[in-house]
């Protein structure tokens, strides 16, 4: 791929100074949890952890990616707030929150300026 891209193209591709950061979640639910309890947890998660912090969640019940609801990057403070909210929930037995990563190209390293 060409490395000499125009500012406009870098912005469209979300690369270099326009890199957008997010993080992955991997959740483990208690074995005896009903489907209704999982649905109630997910509703609360979307309202209290995602919407309240200006974030969006893409994925399934137990694994997904968290990114900013508008254009831009998730901050370390937002990541920590979601992790703290999850740790306060009794429905979960396992919580894995990844470090911030490139939301568009997860295999690429995070730019130091991001």
């Amino acid at each position: 791929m060409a490395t000499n891209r125009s500012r406009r193209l870098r912005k469209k591709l979300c690369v270099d100074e326009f890199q957008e950061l997010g993080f992955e979640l991997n959740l483990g639910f208690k074995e005896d949890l009903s489907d209704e309890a999982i649905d109630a947890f997910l509703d609360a998660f979307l309202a209290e952890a995602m919407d309240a912090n200006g974030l969006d969640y893409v994925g399934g019940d137990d694994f997904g990616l968290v990114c900013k609801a508008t254009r831009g990057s998730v901050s370390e403070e937002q990541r920590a707030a979601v992790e703290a909210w999850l740790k306060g929930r009794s429905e979960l037995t396992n919580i894995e929150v990844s470090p911030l990563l490139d939301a568009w190209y997860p295999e690429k390293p995070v730019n130091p300026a991001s």
Side-chain angles (χ1 to χ4, degrees):
M1 229 178 193
T3 57
N4 189 16
R5 298 181 181 127
S6 69
R7 176 179 164 83
R8 182 173 163 264
L9 184 56
R10 290 192 313 270
K11 186 173 182 180
K12 281 183 171 242
L13 294 174
C14 299
V15 296
D16 297 334
E17 71 270 32
F18 300 104
Q19 183 179 48
E20 295 181 354
L21 304 179
F23 60 94
E24 292 177 342
L25 289 179
N26 197 348
L27 307 175
F29 290 97
K30 287 184 176 177
E31 291 291 324
D32 60 348
L33 217 52
S34 68
D35 288 342
E36 293 80 22
I38 293 174
D39 288 344
F41 167 82
L42 291 173
D43 289 342
F45 171 69
L46 292 174
E48 298 169 16
M50 294 295 100
D51 293 344
N53 288 299
L55 303 172
D56 269 343
Y57 178 74
V58 179
D61 294 352
D62 58 351
F63 181 80
L65 175 74
V66 176
C67 54
K68 193 149 184 204
T70 58
R71 191 160 195 152
S73 291
V74 174
S75 69
E76 187 58 45
E77 292 78 22
Q78 289 170 312
R79 184 193 154 296
V82 171
E83 185 174 17
W85 187 90
L86 290 169
K87 287 183 177 178
R89 301 301 295 209
S90 63
E91 299 93 339
L92 300 172
T93 58
N94 182 35
I95 302 163
E96 293 177 26
V97 180
S98 78
L100 291 176
L101 53 85
D102 189 316
W104 291 94
Y105 310 99
E107 70 282 355
K108 291 195 175 216
V110 173
N111 291 338
S114 293

